[in-house]
């Protein structure tokens, strides 16, 4: 087999392939056997029909079609390997020569991953927020904690912003009550703006037993979206009282005996959170710096595919929220043109980032083990609110394990980028991202160990989940095999379809001649 590569653009090539008839003969022999098995010809048992009879009764062309359909995907895969190109998506195949007893020639145009070189990471630098915990941070956290333990106390005065009121609401139109727009005993925080527009203004200055009427657009019921007169009556006004910040509160709100111990633990927890946020910020900024340092063209069809996928995701999300595209654009204060332009830019950026991370993963010879894949599955399942076992089964049944592996590889590549660029905080301190992540992971391991010790009397071990998920996925295949199979299966399916159509056209032309 001979393969020639012609670069049509930096992201598209044409493979010209020549295959001798001898190389096609094994597929031709196989085709005769399959046709013989399927053919029903008087005087011959299935599978025992001689080739010359098949040629006479069915036609040599049908067998040739079967042989080409069988062989073409393999020839295409070999051509891709010989050319050493990383193909994207489906090829456009054209058979340029197909004559009985002579060589088979075909071309395959396909988009390819653009070639580029990764920069020296030492030349890249990013700045992140400081992870320093201030006394104001601690005070803010403790104030929020006090609010969780706050109590409501009746206030003998008019309602003010922040107060909690119990109200009755009654909507009418042209003097007639709207039956499904009446409610009593509704709890509401003045100033929150979570109910009808104009309600907060109407409540200002009202005491218990007083009423006010205002106009508003109804949000639900048969009259949803229509203007109505709404009367609000205040049943009670209550203000929130926070507990004193002292040792007694520390004992109420935590496992600590003193406020000083609670403050110290709060400082440690906030520092851990800030360092995690800092590491995440370092990763995101490192990826941005890396991608922005490289210029390369993008394959148009690949971007179009990503754009279509992004549109589908947004449409699905809007459908789940029962929100129209018009309402969404109105809330975002964007026109349809601005929305589409943003989506195109996001899709191009997404493709660019994926190419860079994939190249980094390849250059570092990264791989994915079962434990890493298990963690990814467990994490994604938790985010979606489903069991890891169910999510693992979904991945295998839908053939999406390769996608999961790719995401893990890109995550590992992103971590490498964050570790190798120069990271400083906004106070000028150099951040060792790798050491910071290892320390955070160590803290998590310690917490899991403590949790396991506390639950020692149960039958569930801390690592049971990862083992079970790994077992559910293990039967699918090894990492590299899955990745190759996903791409190869897609390519072969398209090649077979193209071959069938082209060979049929060739037969039609031959019949006409």
């Amino acid at each position: 087999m001979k393969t020639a590569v012609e670069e049509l653009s930096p992201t598209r090539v044409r493979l010209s392939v020549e295959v001798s008839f001898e190389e096609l003969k094994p597929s031709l022999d196989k085709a005769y056997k399959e046709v013989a098995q399927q053919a029903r010809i008087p005087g011959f048992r299935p599978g025992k029909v001689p080739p010359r009879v098949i040629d006479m009764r069915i036609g040599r062309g049908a067998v040739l079609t079967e042989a080409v359909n069988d062989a073409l995907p393999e020839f295409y895969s070999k051509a891709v390997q010989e050319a050493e190109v990383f193909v994207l998506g489906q090829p456009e195949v054209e058979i340029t020569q197909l004559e009985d007893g002579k060589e088979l020639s075909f071309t395959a145009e396909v988009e390819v991953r653009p070639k580029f070189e990764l920069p020296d990471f030492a030349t890249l630098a990013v700045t992140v927020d400081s992870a320093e915990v201030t006394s104001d941070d601690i005070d803010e956290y403790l104030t929020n904690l006090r609010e969780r333990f706050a109590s409501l106390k009746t206030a003998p005065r008019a309602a003010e912003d922040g107060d909690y009121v119990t109200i009755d609401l009654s909507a009418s139109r042209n003097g007639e009550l709207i039956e499904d727009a009446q409610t009593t005993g509704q709890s509401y925080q003045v100033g929150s703006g979570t109910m009808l527009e104009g309600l907060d203004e109407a409540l200002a200055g009202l005491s218990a037993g007083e009423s006010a009427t205002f106009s508003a657009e109804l949000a639900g019921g048969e009259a949803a979206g229509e203007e109505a007169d709404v009367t609000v009556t205040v049943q009670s006004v209550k203000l929130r009282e926070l507990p004193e910040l002292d040792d007694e509160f520390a004992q109420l709100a935590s496992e600590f005996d003193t406020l000083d111990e609670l403050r110290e633990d709060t400082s440690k927890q906030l520092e851990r959170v800030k360092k995690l946020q800092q590491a995440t910020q370092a990763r995101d900024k490192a990826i941005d710096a890396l991608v922005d340092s490289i210029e390369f063209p993008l394959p148009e069809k690949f971007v179009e595919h990503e754009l279509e996928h992004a549109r589908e995701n947004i449409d699905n999300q809007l459908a789940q929220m029962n929100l129209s595209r018009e309402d969404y654009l109105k809330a975002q204060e964007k026109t349809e043109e601005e929305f589409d332009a943003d989506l195109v830019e996001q899709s191009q950026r997404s493709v660019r980032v994926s190419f860079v991370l994939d190249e980094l993963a390849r250059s570092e010879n990264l791989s994915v083990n079962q434990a890493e894949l298990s963690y990814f599955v467990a994490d994604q399942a938790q985010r979606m609110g489903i069991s890891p076992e169910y999510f693992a089964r979904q991945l295998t049944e839908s053939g999406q394990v390769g996608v999961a592996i790719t995401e893990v590889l890109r995550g590992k590549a992103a971590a490498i980028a964050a570790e190798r660029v120069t990271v400083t905080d906004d106070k000028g301190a150099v951040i060792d991202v790798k050491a910071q992540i290892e320390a955070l992971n160590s803290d998590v391991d310690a917490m899991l160990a403590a949790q396991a010790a506390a639950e020692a009397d149960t039958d569930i071990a801390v690592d049971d989940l990862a083992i079970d998920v790994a077992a559910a996925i293990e039967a699918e295949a090894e990492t590299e095999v899955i990745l190759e199979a996903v791409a190869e299966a897609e390519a072969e399916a398209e090649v077979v379809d193209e071959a069938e159509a082209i060979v049929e056209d060739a037969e039609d032309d031959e019949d006409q001649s």
Side-chain angles (χ1 to χ4, degrees):
M1 190 178 81
K2 299 178 182 179
T3 303
V5 183
E6 179 185 357
E7 186 177 289
L8 304 177
S9 75
T11 61
R12 191 171 182 83
V13 299
R14 178 188 292 123
L15 302 176
S16 298
V17 185
E18 296 180 359
V19 182
S20 68
F21 196 78
E22 285 300 315
E23 291 176 280
L24 185 61
K25 193 173 185 307
S27 293
L28 191 62
D29 294 338
K30 179 182 176 182
Y32 269 114
K33 290 180 180 179
E34 291 182 354
V35 172
Q37 188 66 40
Q38 298 170 4
R40 296 293 180 267
I41 298 177
F44 297 94
R45 296 193 307 273
K48 300 298 183 179
V49 184
R52 59 182 179 79
V53 175
I54 292 176
D55 289 346
M56 292 173 57
R57 299 295 295 271
I58 298 176
R60 173 83 165 181
V63 183
L64 195 59
T65 298
E66 185 76 22
V68 171
N69 288 345
D70 177 68
L72 201 55
E74 182 180 353
F75 292 147
Y76 171 72
S77 295
K78 286 183 179 179
V80 168
Q81 293 175 8
E82 287 184 9
E84 297 182 345
V85 292
F86 197 116
V87 298
L88 302 169
Q90 312 300 337
E92 295 178 4
V93 178
E94 179 183 358
I95 295 179
T96 55
Q97 179 176 326
L98 177 60
E99 294 183 32
D100 196 0
K102 297 184 179 180
E103 67 180 19
L104 163 69
S105 299
F106 67 92
T107 62
E109 289 189 19
V110 64
E111 287 192 307
V112 295
R113 189 182 297 273
K115 296 179 180 180
F116 55 87
E117 292 186 2
L118 296 172
D120 180 359
F121 283 90
T123 64
L124 305 177
V126 298
T127 302
V128 296
D129 296 334
S130 171
E132 179 185 352
V133 177
T134 66
S135 58
D136 288 341
D137 294 329
I138 298 174
D139 290 341
E140 181 182 357
Y141 175 85
L142 293 178
T143 297
N144 292 333
L145 186 60
R146 289 169 66 200
E147 289 177 349
R148 290 172 52 191
F149 289 86
S151 58
L152 295 179
K153 180 180 179 181
T154 300
R157 57 168 174 75
E160 299 176 358
D161 274 0
D163 287 345
Y164 287 81
V165 294
T166 301
I167 58 176
D168 298 338
L169 289 171
S170 176
S172 62
R173 192 172 45 199
N174 300 324
E176 294 185 7
L177 292 179
I178 303 174
E179 301 217 359
D180 60 355
Q182 314 290 316
T183 184
T184 60
Q186 178 73 45
S187 179
Y188 179 72
Q189 185 180 17
V190 181
S192 63
T194 57
M195 291 186 70
L196 296 173
E197 186 175 350
L199 178 59
D200 289 324
E201 292 78 3
L203 286 171
L206 293 185
S207 299
E210 296 181 338
S211 302
T213 300
F214 62 99
S215 296
E217 183 180 295
L218 299 182
E222 294 183 1
E226 298 180 11
E227 287 284 331
D229 295 323
V230 181
T231 298
V232 56
T233 301
V234 177
Q235 291 185 8
S236 64
V237 179
K238 295 182 179 180
L239 56 85
R240 184 171 54 179
E241 282 192 340
L242 303 182
E244 291 293 329
L245 191 59
D246 52 21
D247 292 346
E248 184 177 346
F249 172 71
Q251 296 167 17
L252 172 68
S254 70
E255 71 270 28
F256 302 107
D257 295 326
T258 67
L259 179 60
D260 288 341
E261 290 174 329
L262 176 58
R263 292 185 70 91
E264 182 181 356
D265 182 73
T266 297
S267 178
K268 292 179 181 178
Q269 296 292 343
L270 290 177
E271 182 180 18
R272 185 178 295 113
V273 170
K274 284 199 169 189
K275 285 186 175 180
L276 178 59
Q277 293 173 339
Q278 191 181 64
T280 302
Q281 189 180 30
R283 180 201 62 196
D284 293 343
K285 288 196 170 186
I287 293 173
D288 287 340
L290 178 60
V291 172
D292 291 341
S293 69
I294 309 170
E295 287 293 333
F296 57 87
L298 297 177
E300 292 182 5
K301 289 187 177 180
F302 204 73
V303 173
E304 289 173 3
H305 179 271
E306 179 68 21
L307 180 60
E308 185 63 28
H309 183 63
R311 286 191 175 122
E312 288 179 1
N313 281 342
I314 289 179
D315 289 341
N316 290 336
Q317 292 173 9
L318 292 178
Q320 291 175 0
M321 294 186 293
N322 198 25
L323 192 66
S324 67
R325 174 73 69 88
E326 292 74 18
D327 291 338
Y328 174 77
L329 293 175
K330 183 178 179 181
Q332 295 293 315
E333 297 182 349
K334 289 183 179 180
T335 64
E336 187 78 34
E337 292 73 19
E338 291 172 334
F339 171 78
D340 286 338
D342 288 345
L343 208 57
V344 169
E345 184 178 351
Q346 292 169 13
S347 299
Q348 291 173 340
R349 184 69 175 181
S350 177
V351 171
R352 192 174 293 276
V353 168
S354 67
F355 282 168
V356 172
L357 292 180
D358 289 345
E359 177 61 21
L360 180 54
R362 187 200 62 78
S363 66
E364 295 292 327
N365 294 317
L366 298 182
S367 61
V368 177
N369 59 41
Q370 290 294 338
E372 292 165 337
L373 190 56
S374 297
Y375 178 84
F376 173 83
V377 169
D379 180 65
Q380 293 298 309
Q382 183 180 27
R383 294 173 187 269
M384 292 186 288
I386 59 178
S387 73
E389 292 81 3
Y390 177 73
F391 183 53
R393 190 163 57 251
Q394 279 188 322
L395 287 177
T396 55
E397 291 177 354
S398 62
Q400 295 296 303
V401 175
V403 176
I405 291 173
T406 299
E407 288 303 311
V408 176
L409 285 172
R410 289 173 180 171
K412 295 177 73 171
I416 288 178
E419 293 168 3
R420 293 188 182 173
V421 303
T422 301
V423 181
T424 56
D425 66 18
D426 51 18
K427 297 183 182 297
V430 178
I431 309 299
D432 186 338
V433 175
K434 183 176 182 179
Q436 189 160 293
I437 292 176
E438 289 175 350
L440 289 168
N441 288 337
S442 178
D443 288 344
V444 171
D445 290 341
M447 286 188 291
L448 288 176
Q451 179 183 352
E455 299 176 353
D457 58 336
T458 69
D459 295 329
I460 301 175
V462 174
D463 57 352
D464 276 352
L465 179 63
I467 293 173
D468 290 342
V469 176
I473 296 177
E474 188 174 8
E476 180 72 12
E478 293 298 325
T479 301
E480 293 185 2
V481 175
I482 296 173
L483 287 172
E484 292 173 0
V486 170
E488 186 175 327
E490 293 177 347
E492 288 186 0
E494 183 71 17
V495 171
V496 168
D497 291 343
E498 293 280 353
E500 289 179 346
I502 293 169
V503 172
E504 288 175 2
D505 290 343
E507 290 178 350
D508 291 342
D509 293 342
E510 184 178 340
D511 292 341
Q512 292 175 3
S513 61

